Amino acid sequence: MKTIKQHYRVDRREIAFLKFILEAYDGIAVLKTEDASQGVITAHIAPGCEKQFADVLQDLKKDIMIEPVQMNTKHLYLHTIGCQMNVYDSEQIAMRLAPLGYEQTASMDSADLIIINTCSVRAKAEQKAFSLLGRLARIKRNKRRLIIGVGGCVAQQEGEKILERMPCIDLVFGTQAIDRLPRLIQQIEDRRCRLVDVEMDEVQDIPEFLEGPRTESQVSKFVTIMRGCDNYCAYCVVPFVRGRETSREPESIIREIRILVENGVKEVTLLGQNVNSYGKKQRLCSFPELLAKINAIEGLLRIRFTTSHPKDLSPELIVAFRDFDKLCPHIHLPVQSGSDRILKRMNRKYTIDQYLDKVAKLRDTCTDIAITSDIIVGFPGETEADFEKTLELIKTVEYDGLFAFQYSDRPNAPSVKLPDKISEPLKRERLQTLLDLQEKFTKRKNKVLVGSTQWVLTDGLSKKQVSGQPDAGNRALQWTGRTPSNKIVNFYLDEHPAANQSLAGQLIGVRIDKAFSHSLFGKATGAEPSAGGLKGVENYAA
Ligand code: SAM
Ligand code: SF4
C-alpha cells in the first residue's frame, strides 16, 4: 500500500505524545522520527485518510506547535550480489525502508543510504562485496552523513569483524534481520551510531511479504517459499549463513502470489534451497500440494521453481509436470559431479545411477522438459578419472544449460579440511573443457527449435532492437521473452496485429528463425495461444 508522506516540525518532547495519540486512530497514519534533535517527523498517511489526519492535527495544534516543513526525499542505493533469493530480499528491504522516506536511486553518488546485499556462496562473490565496500569508503570521505549498511550472507558470516575492518560501514545486518532493518536505520539516523545485528534463530521468522508499486517490468517475479538449508553439502556455506530450513505457511505464499497477479504479474518462480523438502519439517502441505494450490490461481500463467535437490525429487513432483498446466517444462537439477566417489565426499546422498533414473522418469513423463544443472569442478580429491565421469554424464544427459563453478573453500564448510586440493590452473582448465563441451549441447538444443512456434511470455522490449541486430536492417520493434522451457527469445512483430501495443506480459506465438548459443530469434505469427498451449511447446513446423 503506497502511503502519502508529509513532513512536520514539532516540539521534540511531544513526538512520543503524538505517536501515542495516533495509535488511538488505528491505521490512519504512522509517524517516523526523521531528525530527533530538530523535532522533524514524517507522517505516512494511509490513502483515503488525509482528511481525518488533517482534522486530528488541527485539534492538536491548539495545544502544541506543529508546522509543516519541506524535506528532500532521502535516496537509497541498493546493490544486490548473488542469487535470486538475494534479489527477492533486496526488494523486501526497499519496501521496508520506504516508510522511513527512502526512495530508490540508481546513482550511488546521490544516495543518503547505501545497502549492499552480499553473497558468500563462492569466494569470488565475497571478494566482489569487499572490493565494492572499499570503493564506498572513498565516497564516504566526502559525504559524512552517508549511511552504509552491509546485509546478506557475508554480513552474517563476518558480523562485527566488518565494522572493525571498515570504519566507513555503519551497519552490518544478517540474513534474518530484514524485519528489524527499519528500526536499525532509524537508530543510526537518530544517534549516528554503528550497529551489528546478526542474530539467528533455530526456527526463523520469515518476513511477511510487503507489496511494491506496480511497474511495467513486473511480468515475472521471485517468491521465496522457504529459507535456510539442513543438507550440509560438504562444500556449502548456506546452512551456516542462512540458518536452518524453514518453510513459509502456504496461505502466506498464496496471498503474496494473488497480490502479484492483481498487479499484473504473469509468472512466478518459487525459491528455496531445496523446494522438494518444502513443508515436511513443519508438517505443512507437500511441495506438489503447494503447486496444485498455486496452479489454481486465476490470472497466473506460468509457474517455475528452483532449486530441486536430486535426492528428494519425488514421483509426485515428477507427475506434477504432466498434471499442472501452468508448471513450465523446465527443471534445474544440480548434479555437482558425475563421479559417485566425489558425490559421496560432497555429502550429496545420491549416486549417478539414481540421478539418471530420475532424469529418465522426468523425460518419460514430460517429453519436452528442459533440464539444467550446477557442476563444481576441482572439488578436493577430484582426479582426472572423476572429471572424465562428469564429462560423460554431460554427454549422457545432454543438458539444456549448465552453471559450472570452480570449487572454492568456504568458511565452516567441512570440505575446507579435506586433503588433495586441486590447483587453481587445473580447476580453470577443467572448467573451460566442461564449458566447451556443454556449449555444443546448448547450441544443438536451441537449433532443434528452429522452425517451431513457441509461446513466448514477453518481458518487454529487447535490448537489441536499437541496433536492429541480429536481423541487420530490420527496423521493426524487437521484444524479448522466454519459452516455457526458459529459453530467451528475441522477436519482432512486423505485420502482427498488436504492432502498436506494449506486449509486456502477453503470451505471443513466435516462429523461431534462428538459434544462437544463449538465445533464439524469431517473428511473431499472430497465432493466439490456446489453453493447452499456455505452457506447452507446440510445434507447428511441418
Ligand atoms: N541449494 C542448491 C543446490 O543444492 O543445488 C544450490 C545452492 S548454491 C547457492 C548454488 C550453487 O553454487 C551450487 O549448486 C554449487 O554448484 C555452487 N557452490 C556452492 N558452494 C560452492 C563452493 N564452495 N565452490 C564452488 N561452487 C559452489
Ligand atoms: Fe548448499 Fe547443499 Fe543446501 Fe544446496 S542443498 S544450499 S548445495 S547445503
Side-chain angles (χ1 to χ4, degrees):
M1 183 176 59
K2 202 142 174 70
T3 55
I4 296 124
K5 277 184 285 181
Q6 280 174 13
H7 312 289
Y8 298 90
R9 181 170 288 110
V10 295
D11 183 330
R12 60 194 162 90
R13 287 161 303 186
E14 306 289 1
I15 296 177
F17 169 69
L18 267 177
K19 287 184 177 169
F20 170 76
I21 294 286
L22 273 180
E23 271 171 27
Y25 292 88
D26 199 21
I28 68 164
V30 176
L31 290 190
K32 304 276 174 192
T33 311
E34 293 293 344
D35 184 341
S37 63
Q38 300 295 314
V40 177
I41 55 167
T42 303
H44 295 264
I45 308 157
C49 298
E50 299 90 320
K51 165 101 180 49
Q52 197 186 356
F53 179 73
D55 289 347
V56 174
L57 280 198
Q58 202 55 41
D59 233 26
L60 287 168
K61 270 184 190 167
K62 291 175 202 150
D63 301 316
I64 55 176
M65 184 276 285
I66 306 174
E67 58 179 30
V69 284
Q70 286 297 332
M71 270 194 41
N72 295 332
T73 309
K74 293 183 285 182
H75 291 111
L76 161 69
Y77 178 84
L78 189 46
H79 185 93
T80 309
I81 303 171
C83 65
Q84 299 103 320
M85 251 180 214
N86 269 11
V87 173
Y88 179 88
D89 284 352
S90 287
E91 283 180 2
Q92 291 301 304
I93 285 171
M95 292 308 133
R96 278 162 174 74
L97 293 178
L100 295 193
Y102 285 101
E103 271 177 21
Q104 264 185 278
T105 171
S107 146
M108 207 187 254
D109 291 327
S110 66
D112 304 288
L113 168 63
I114 296 180
I115 289 191
I116 311 296
N117 195 4
T118 61
C119 166
S120 69
V121 163
R122 288 173 290 279
K124 255 193 185 162
E126 187 176 328
Q127 285 152 11
K128 204 167 151 186
F130 278 112
S131 95
L132 184 56
L133 293 176
R135 268 172 59 204
L136 296 184
R138 288 194 287 280
I139 298 181
K140 184 133 180 190
R141 249 176 254 142
N142 301 320
K143 206 173 173 186
R144 289 270 153 218
R145 290 198 72 78
L146 172 68
I147 299 173
I148 303 179
V150 186
C153 299
V154 177
Q156 188 67 51
Q157 184 184 294
E158 301 295 313
E160 187 94 38
K161 279 188 264 170
I162 297 181
L163 287 194
E164 287 161 17
R165 192 171 147 185
M166 314 198 84
C168 71
I169 307 295
D170 302 285
L171 171 67
V172 177
F173 64 101
T175 52
Q176 296 185 15
I178 292 176
D179 263 348
R180 298 188 289 272
L181 191 57
R183 197 160 36 83
L184 295 167
I185 296 290
Q186 184 82 68
Q187 269 176 275
I188 295 172
E189 284 181 349
D190 292 350
R191 296 196 240 131
R192 303 310 301 181
C193 49
R194 300 175 81 211
L195 299 173
V196 178
D197 181 347
V198 286
E199 224 172 84
M200 251 193 171
D201 291 332
E202 186 64 21
V203 179
Q204 34 180 316
D205 265 347
I206 299 193
E208 190 49 37
F209 161 76
L210 290 187
E211 187 186 347
R214 189 189 165 165
T215 62
E216 211 202 9
S217 60
Q218 280 196 316
V219 173
S220 181
K221 294 290 275 182
F222 298 126
V223 175
T224 294
I225 62 164
M226 56 207 293
R227 287 177 174 263
C229 184
D230 290 347
N231 282 311
Y232 292 97
C233 300
Y235 49 80
C236 191
V237 76
V238 170
F240 305 98
V241 291
R242 289 218 167 242
R244 300 285 62 74
E245 180 188 289
T246 311
S247 298
R248 228 175 120 182
E249 294 283 337
E251 293 73 22
S252 159
I253 298 168
I254 303 292
R255 192 182 76 83
E256 170 167 351
I257 299 175
R258 279 193 207 286
I259 294 173
L260 292 175
V261 171
E262 277 165 25
N263 286 343
V265 169
K266 305 284 187 217
E267 173 184 278
V268 289
T269 303
L270 311 175
L271 303 177
Q273 295 300 346
N274 178 15
V275 293
N276 300 328
S277 57
Y278 172 83
K280 284 187 189 158
K281 214 160 117 181
Q282 288 132 287
R283 295 170 196 268
L284 306 172
C285 64
S286 70
F287 184 56
E289 284 164 351
L290 178 71
L291 284 175
K293 290 178 205 275
I294 298 172
N295 197 62
I297 295 179
E298 221 170 288
L300 182 69
L301 295 182
R302 288 182 173 178
I303 307 167
R304 303 183 186 279
F305 61 81
T306 194
T307 296
S308 206
H309 195 306
K311 78 176 162 62
D312 297 315
L313 176 60
S314 66
E316 291 77 19
L317 184 56
I318 293 176
V319 295
F321 283 103
R322 185 195 62 204
D323 294 346
F324 300 145
D325 62 333
K326 294 176 186 172
L327 184 59
C328 287
H330 167 224
I331 188 163
H332 186 64
L333 199 60
V335 66
Q336 312 298 359
S337 168
S339 156
D340 284 341
R341 197 180 71 85
I342 295 296
L343 287 177
K344 196 150 197 240
R345 278 165 79 90
M346 286 178 165
N347 192 30
R348 288 291 286 180
K349 302 195 178 90
Y350 52 83
T351 63
I352 288 302
D353 278 349
Q354 288 164 341
Y355 182 87
L356 288 174
D357 185 48
K358 293 194 176 178
V359 167
K361 287 192 172 117
L362 279 163
R363 285 184 169 151
D364 281 349
T365 313
C366 179
T367 45
D368 53 12
I369 196 161
I371 303 181
T372 54
S373 195
D374 289 348
I375 289 183
I376 298 177
V377 298
F379 186 77
E382 184 188 68
T383 61
E384 271 312 313
D386 292 318
F387 180 59
E388 277 301 321
K389 286 183 181 157
T390 301
L391 298 180
E392 276 313 307
L393 176 81
I394 293 172
K395 290 179 200 158
T396 308
V397 177
E398 299 190 2
Y399 289 105
D400 288 72
L402 271 185
F403 296 92
F405 312 102
Q406 293 179 48
Y407 168 81
S408 52
D409 273 345
R410 304 311 300 130
N412 297 315
S415 60
V416 172
K417 299 202 182 93
L418 287 178
D420 305 322
K421 293 275 159 60
I422 308 299
S423 72
E424 290 302 316
L426 186 53
K427 281 194 269 186
R428 254 198 311 277
E429 188 189 311
R430 286 183 183 169
L431 180 65
Q432 200 50 54
T433 309
L434 188 151
L435 292 176
D436 289 345
L437 173 66
Q438 177 55 36
E439 175 97 355
K440 290 184 200 137
F441 291 110
T442 312
K443 271 191 188 156
R444 197 189 294 170
K445 292 262 169 179
N446 283 352
K447 250 189 176 158
V448 167
L449 301 179
V450 173
S452 70
T453 294
Q454 301 286 319
W455 292 120
V456 175
L457 179 59
T458 317
D459 288 322
L461 283 171
S462 151
K463 285 183 198 140
K464 291 185 174 163
Q465 62 145 338
V466 181
S467 64
Q469 293 295 329
D471 240 13
N474 165 40
R475 298 179 62 191
L477 276 188
Q478 284 187 35
W479 297 84
T480 190
R482 285 178 189 260
T483 65
S485 57
N486 212 25
K487 297 191 195 310
I488 296 170
V489 181
N490 294 307
F491 65 97
Y492 65 102
L493 288 167
D494 208 14
E495 310 276 289
H496 189 277
N500 297 322
Q501 302 167 12
S502 168
L503 296 189
Q506 287 192 38
L507 270 172
I508 301 284
V510 177
R511 195 198 61 231
I512 306 300
D513 295 330
K514 293 180 186 174
F516 303 96
S517 299
H518 300 290
S519 66
L520 301 163
F521 186 76
K523 180 179 168 186
T525 61
E528 287 298 317
S530 65
L534 287 179
K535 74 162 189 156
V537 189
E538 292 193 9
N539 192 334
Y540 294 98

